[in-house]
Amino acid sequence: MARNAAQDNPLAPVTLAVGQEDLLLDRAVQQVVAAARASDADTDVRDLTPDQLQPGTLAELTSPSLFAERKVVVVRNAQDLSADTIKDVKAYFAAPAEEITLVLLHAGGAKGKGLLDAARKAGAREVACPKMTKPADRLSFVRGEFRALGRSATPEACQALVDSIGSDLRELASAVSQLVADVEGTIDEAIVGRYYTGRAEASSFTVADRAVEGRAAEALEALRWSLSTGVAPVLITSALAQGVRAIGKLSSARGGRPADLARELGMPPWKIDRVRQQMRGWTPDGVAIALRAVAEADAGVKGGGDDPEYALEKAVVTVARAARASRGH
């Protein structure tokens, strides 16, 4: 590339954000945009999906401007670009335009690997955005959030926050920001408990746990309380999906110690024990029915229906019934 593409320079000609963690991908984009607008407040930002970047579009977007304006071109899901468009992007790597930063968001898998390899070979600045599936990774993330905000939190406080909030990085980041804004001094476990114990009891995971255990009334009660305290509906469908999938994965796994199964299935050992208790009596048909119900609810809360709350209630009841039917009740 014609310009310096140092890894610490967000205004490098090309930034490659690789992974499937949405929050980290969004932050990679935000960092580039912020740097560009710090250099030029009138920076033009174009945020495109693969279907919007057709052959020839990149050339149009990066053609010289009479006003020499700075521009950031963001391409999401770059692994889904058409073969002809990928040719355009690869050609662009050889001669990137001045005052323009191209940001490619790539899932990092085998699909579109040629584009990924070409960007790396060309010296693109790369930002890792891996999906954080392990509790230890989320714990490290929380510690990093506190450090980035210049605040200290005890190890127990960080663990309590992960236990209370769950796996969603956006929720974890938001919780850290709230604590930092509201609390002076070191943040300890007692402070986290005051803020989030009630939240944990009414969390999306509580809704999911009661549903997969076949306890419909308790699941509905937890659902209504969660919604009333501001838990996002999409977090609840995510928790329901995780709960049902965990049962399906564990029921088809080989027997063994929790530690061995935890490594095989990517779950913490304590969750293996919990899911073993929840899965008693579940059948493959029950899991399939429950997953379909959760998928329908997920579509409903993301705009496919008029009443997200009803979509969630329907899913919770269906999951609980599937659990009870699987138990022969």
Side-chain angles (χ1 to χ4, degrees), residues 35-291:
R37 286 184 169 156
S39 174
D40 181 352
D42 295 324
T43 294
D44 181 20
V45 179
R46 302 296 180 90
D47 199 322
L48 307 171
T49 55
D51 62 303
Q52 295 173 309
L53 194 68
Q54 298 297 320
T57 304
L58 184 61
E60 294 175 10
L61 291 173
T62 58
S63 60
S65 167
L66 290 175
F67 303 101
E69 65 181 358
R70 181 173 288 282
K71 186 179 294 185
V72 175
V73 179
V74 180
V75 180
R76 297 184 183 272
N77 299 312
Q79 71 277 0
D80 295 331
L81 290 171
S82 69
D84 288 338
T85 302
I86 286 176
K87 290 180 182 177
D88 288 353
V89 177
K90 288 181 177 179
Y92 179 80
F93 292 157
E98 292 292 330
E99 303 301 317
I100 292 177
T101 299
L102 176 64
V103 184
L104 299 174
L105 276 56
H106 194 293
K111 187 176 183 182
K113 189 174 184 298
L115 177 61
L116 196 63
D117 293 341
R120 286 168 171 162
K121 185 177 180 180
R125 168 180 176 263
E126 185 167 343
V127 180
C129 304
K131 198 75 175 174
M132 295 191 182
T133 58
K134 299 179 180 178
D137 292 338
R138 294 191 286 273
L139 186 59
S140 296
F141 171 80
V142 167
R143 290 171 177 160
E145 290 292 289
F146 279 117
R147 282 196 301 270
L149 294 172
R151 294 293 297 279
S152 61
T154 66
E156 294 80 10
C158 294
Q159 185 64 61
L161 200 57
V162 172
D163 291 342
S164 296
I165 300 299
S167 61
D168 188 272
L169 289 199
R170 291 186 192 279
E171 289 285 295
L172 286 168
S174 176
V176 170
S177 297
Q178 181 180 8
L179 287 168
V180 167
D182 292 356
V183 179
E184 295 182 358
T186 299
I187 295 164
D188 59 21
E189 186 177 11
I191 292 170
V192 173
R194 287 202 300 272
Y195 270 73
Y196 294 105
T197 295
R199 168 69 175 275
E201 291 171 354
S203 72
S204 53
F205 292 98
T206 300
V207 178
D209 285 341
R210 299 296 85 78
V212 299
E213 291 162 5
R215 297 153 66 178
E218 293 177 42
L220 287 171
E221 181 181 358
L223 169 65
R224 289 160 188 156
W225 181 253
S226 293
L227 293 173
S228 72
T229 57
V231 177
V234 68
L235 295 182
I236 298 173
T237 56
S238 175
L240 284 167
Q242 288 182 47
V244 177
R245 288 194 192 110
I247 287 171
K249 287 166 67 175
L250 190 55
S251 64
S252 60
R254 300 185 302 274
R257 299 178 304 166
D260 296 332
L261 288 170
R263 284 191 294 272
E264 180 183 343
L265 302 177
M267 299 180 192
W270 63 262
K271 189 169 184 179
I272 296 292
D273 291 333
R274 176 183 294 178
V275 176
R276 271 179 167 165
Q277 295 175 0
Q278 294 172 335
M279 64 181 276
R280 291 171 185 163
W282 271 92
T283 65
D285 286 344
V287 171
I289 291 169
L291 285 176

Side-chain angles (χ1 to χ4, degrees), residues 211-216 281-282 318-329:
V212 299
E213 291 162 5
R215 297 153 66 178
W282 271 92
T318 302
V319 171
R321 284 178 177 169
R324 291 178 60 82
S326 297
R327 287 168 168 77
H329 293 162

